[in-house]
Every structure is written in C-alpha cells, then in structure tokens.
Amino acid sequence: MATLRPDPDRLLPPDAAVRPIARRLYEAVRDRPIISPHGHVDPAMLRDDAPFTDPAALFIQPDHYVTRILHAHGVPLDRLGVGEGPLPERRAREVWRTFCAHWPAFRGTPVQYWLASELHDIFGVTERPGTGDPDALYDHIAQRLAEDAYRPRALLRRFGIRFLATTDDPADDLAAHAALAADPQVDARIVPTFRPDRYLEPARPGWPDAIRRLGAAADTDTGHYAGYVAALEQRRRYFAAHGAVSADHGHADAAAEPMTPAEAGRVYAAALAGEATAAEATALRRHMVLEMARMSCDDGLVMTVHPGVYRNHHPATHRAFGPDTGHDIPVAAEFTRALRPLLQRYGTHPALHLVLFTVDPAVYAREIAPLAGFYPSVYAGAPWWFLDNPAAIRAFQAAVTEIAGFGRLSGFIDDTRAFCSIPARHDMARRLDAGFLAGLVAEHRLDEDEALDTIASLVSDQPAKVFKL
C-alpha cells in the first residue's frame, strides 16, 4: 500500500532562492474565504442538505474531468454511472473499484492533484487509490459521508466558501435560490447565473419550444421579436432580483454583429416557423449577443463570454448520455474582430464588465490581454476547463500580466460541478499565484510587500470588483 500524503510545498517553485518567498505569499492567502463567481454546483443540493449517497456519486459520476480520462483509457461511460442517479451499492462499489484500478491514468494531470487533495484533506485518506483494498477505501469515505459534518452545508462552511454562483436556465423559477436566500442557517451568498445560450441559438433542435417556455416564464408574448427581447429583459431582471451578478455566454464564436430591427424580426419569425437558414440563425444569434451586451449596460449583469468549443463532438455519446459528459473539444477562437462591433458601442460604457474566457491559449497574449489592456470594460478570464492546469496557468500569468497587468484579471474561476474539488482548485490557483509572484520578487521586479498586496487582491478583491460583489 502506497501512502497518500500531498507535500506542503506542492506546486511551489523548486528554486531554493524563490521557494521561501512563495511560501510566505501562499501562507498569507491560504485560508482566505473562497469566492466562486462561476460554477455548476446544483443549488438544490445545498437547499436540501441531504447526505451524499456514496463515494462514486460524489467523486466520479458528476465530474466529466474524471470520466473523460477514464473513458480515454477504455472505460465505457455506462460502467461509471454517467447520466444516472444514485446507484445501488453494488454498482457504486464497482464504479469505485474501476476508478481505483485506473488511478495511474490521472498521473501528471490537475485531476490527480484535486482528487489527492480532496481525499486527503477532506476525508483523511492516507492510502493512494489503487494500491490497497478499494472496498476498504470506499467504506472509509462512506462512513464519513454518513456524518453530519460531511453534509453539503457543513462542507460549504468548512471549505470557507463565501460566495458561490451556479449556472441556471433563464426559465428556471429559482425556487432553490429563494429558499437558500431565506434560510438564516446558510452563511454563504449563493446566487444564480443567467445562461441564455439555448434561447439565442435558433438552429438548435427544439428552439421554438424553448422560446415558448421563456415566454411563459416571463408572462410575455414571444410570438414576435419585440416580445422575445422583452422576455429576455424580464428574466434578467428576475435573476438580478434573486441575487444574480452575471450572464454567461458560450457560443461557437465570440461574434457580435448588429441587425436592423426589421431584419431581426424577419429572421426571428422564420426561425419560429422552422424556416430560417443556417446563416440566418447564426446572424440572429450574433445580433442577440450584441443585445445581451446592451442589456448588461442597462441592468448591470457582468457579461462572461467563452467561445471556441466544439460541443458534443461524439454524437453517439451525446445520444446515450447527454451533454457535458466529456466530449466537448476546444477549437481555435478569435476575439479582436469578432467583438469589435460590441466594443465600439459599449466598450467604454461604465456599467459593462466583459470577462473573456478561452480554451485556446494562443489568444491570451495576441488578443485577450491587449483588449483588456485598453478597454476599461474588458477583463481577462482565468484559465479554465482544458487550461486549468499548472503549465497553462503559468503561461497565462506571464502572457497576460506583461501586457495588461494584474488589475485586468478576473481572479480565479473554478467552473466545476464537483463540489468537493472547489477548495482544491482554489488552493492550486493560490499556490501558482504565489510561485509566479515570488519569481517577480526574486527578479527584483516587485518588492515583497507589492507581491503580498497583489496575491491578496487576486484571491479576494479582484473577483469582488470584476463581478460587482
């Protein structure tokens, strides 16, 4: 049996002259509260506060970071319970045994870092998965999950999460959020995020039905273009009234191009009738992204944009297991020309905060940092998804801060469905920030007091400022 004992200096620079500085910087922010302005935790989990059912349901089934790597190593997703609810104990144990047997598949990935931190720091696991009895390890975690200290709300407090944003459909009644906001036993601020993608994409199957649901939620006639826009505006106000601070957009590209109201109305009517061409559907979506920016100037919701992902790359997996099951693949992204119409209109508007995320690392220095280095509305979103790994984060730190400075960064974004990975992800970011800033101190580019102030800002002040908390 091999021990699981994460090193206290993990991810800090190996240089003996730099590491002590990094330690001091990290220690200064290690225990600061977590601000999580974008993620995918289910608010009903926190509302209901029911115990987690088993280790497989907590660590494996909902986490496409984990299941994607296992699938790549030959494990079918149905063997992992993907897309299913809680599994019978026999099957949950089988999933856990499969996970433990494939632990070496995670070597060198951030997933191993997060999982090791979660298992050791939260559950007191001292045995490396796959080197001992997986059933004994399962029992150890299951026993913890049966304790009140491991229910969702207790972990929320233990993790030190001060602010947590979820991702929500515009037609959602937000009942879970209303219940959490009214519950005096919930210390953290838990808010929804307006995610209108499906309502802005006329080419998606089922779009007319989605628009009817939107109209019903807004009590607005969406049978015409003006009513459609009014319904989106109304639902944004509803979300803001329930605490939302941002609207999130993840389309194939970042383009925002205007149409005349008459042309938008014509294409909208054609789309409702199922008669819009692919080019017309794309044009309407790009026009509506511009409209979303206008609405953000009006209602103050922060606009986050993350284009450049080929969704549901494997159709058979999508048919069998649905979206968000590990087969979204990055493609090249372009921002400078795509966003020019939006930034010409609103780039200097005092109410607009536009956070640009990417899974294309080539655009950080070429486009995102220069845009954030000129437009007061634009911020460089932290590396996430395929880029939330040490190598990509270090490259981002050097590329973006050299051009735009630390004050134009979003602060760390964990972007996760895996609840217990939140503290591990934020810890990784704090260690990497400490290492990067320590290097600047060692090079005499910053004094240590400046580095301390900067890392504190990145952890607390910057996300609060960018997301208007």
Side-chain angles (χ1 to χ4, degrees), residues 223-266:
H224 53 88
Y225 173 70
Y228 166 60
V229 172
L232 287 165
E233 291 173 331
Q234 193 277 338
R235 294 307 293 174
R236 288 173 64 105
R237 291 192 296 270
Y238 183 84
F239 269 60
H242 282 74
V245 299
S246 66
D248 183 51
H249 307 271
H251 302 289
D253 57 56
E257 299 173 356
M259 303 173 76
T260 66
E263 183 65 4
R266 183 192 70 77

Side-chain angles (χ1 to χ4, degrees), residues 153-167:
R153 291 190 186 182
L155 290 176
L156 184 76
R157 289 189 291 272
R158 177 175 169 182
F159 296 163
I161 297 175
R162 188 176 77 193
F163 179 89
L164 179 70
T166 66
T167 305

Side-chain angles (χ1 to χ4, degrees), residues 87-427:
L87 302 173
E89 183 179 350
R90 177 187 60 80
R91 281 203 63 210
R93 285 185 180 274
E94 289 174 354
V95 170
W96 184 256
R97 292 182 196 123
T98 300
F99 163 75
C100 289
H102 287 80
W103 181 259
F106 300 105
R107 288 175 182 166
T109 71
V111 181
Q112 185 192 49
Y113 178 93
W114 301 326
L115 288 170
S117 296
E118 294 170 59
L119 291 169
H120 182 273
D121 297 347
I122 301 172
F123 291 91
V125 172
T126 57
E127 167 196 325
R128 188 190 306 159
T131 63
D133 181 357
D135 285 297
L137 184 55
Y138 181 101
D139 290 337
H140 172 89
I141 298 171
Q143 288 169 7
R144 294 287 187 276
L145 293 177
E147 301 172 12
D148 286 345
Y150 287 83
R151 293 166 76 110
R153 291 190 186 182
L155 290 176
L156 184 76
R157 289 189 291 272
R158 177 175 169 182
F159 296 163
I161 297 175
R162 188 176 77 193
F163 179 89
L164 179 70
T166 66
T167 305
D168 307 87
D169 188 286
D172 195 309
D173 64 7
L174 303 182
H177 283 283
L180 287 166
D183 192 333
Q185 295 183 343
V186 179
D187 299 327
R189 183 179 168 195
I190 303 167
V191 305
T193 297
F194 189 80
R195 180 69 182 268
D197 288 1
R198 72 173 60 185
Y199 302 99
L200 308 187
E201 293 275 9
R204 282 193 181 186
W207 184 76
D209 290 337
I211 295 304
R212 283 188 281 275
R213 288 196 302 274
L214 177 71
D219 194 21
T220 302
D221 180 9
T222 54
H224 53 88
Y225 173 70
Y228 166 60
V229 172
L232 287 165
E233 291 173 331
Q234 193 277 338
R235 294 307 293 174
R236 288 173 64 105
R237 291 192 296 270
Y238 183 84
F239 269 60
H242 282 74
V245 299
S246 66
D248 183 51
H249 307 271
H251 302 289
D253 57 56
E257 299 173 356
M259 303 173 76
T260 66
E263 183 65 4
R266 183 192 70 77
V267 174
Y268 179 77
L272 279 183
E275 299 171 355
T277 67
E280 287 174 330
T282 297
L284 183 60
R285 182 256 293 167
R286 290 173 174 174
H287 169 72
M288 289 308 299
V289 170
L290 193 65
E291 281 290 276
M292 292 292 106
R294 174 189 64 78
M295 293 179 198
S296 281
C297 292
D298 292 339
D299 60 30
L301 291 183
V302 176
M303 186 175 187
T304 61
V305 175
H306 52 97
V309 177
Y310 194 118
R311 304 279 179 176
N312 305 315
H313 194 266
H314 190 241
T317 297
H318 182 241
R319 286 192 298 270
F321 300 100
D324 303 317
T325 49
H327 53 111
D328 293 342
I329 307 296
V331 296
E334 196 278 330
F335 290 85
T336 303
R337 294 180 181 86
L339 287 173
R340 190 167 185 243
L342 188 158
L343 293 170
Q344 282 180 308
R345 292 189 181 197
Y346 308 117
T348 59
H349 194 288
L352 180 64
H353 285 195
L354 176 64
V355 187
L356 303 180
F357 295 96
T358 185
V359 284
D360 178 3
V363 302
Y364 276 132
R366 188 179 69 238
E367 300 187 54
I368 292 178
L371 289 169
F374 174 77
Y375 288 97
S377 61
V378 177
Y379 295 89
W384 68 354
W385 207 344
F386 287 90
L387 301 181
D388 54 3
N389 60 74
I393 291 173
R394 288 176 178 129
F396 166 86
Q397 290 166 329
V400 176
T401 59
E402 292 274 0
I403 296 169
F406 290 99
R408 307 309 302 162
L409 307 185
S410 68
F412 182 66
I413 305 291
D414 56 68
D415 183 40
T416 186
R417 290 172 173 78
F419 181 55
C420 285
S421 77
I422 292 176
R425 289 167 182 260
H426 283 262
D427 180 75

Side-chain angles (χ1 to χ4, degrees), residues 56-76:
L58 180 60
F59 287 103
I60 303 166
Q61 285 179 272
D63 192 345
H64 62 72
Y65 284 79
V66 173
T67 60
R68 175 177 60 83
I69 292 176
L70 293 174
H71 184 270
H73 283 78
V75 181

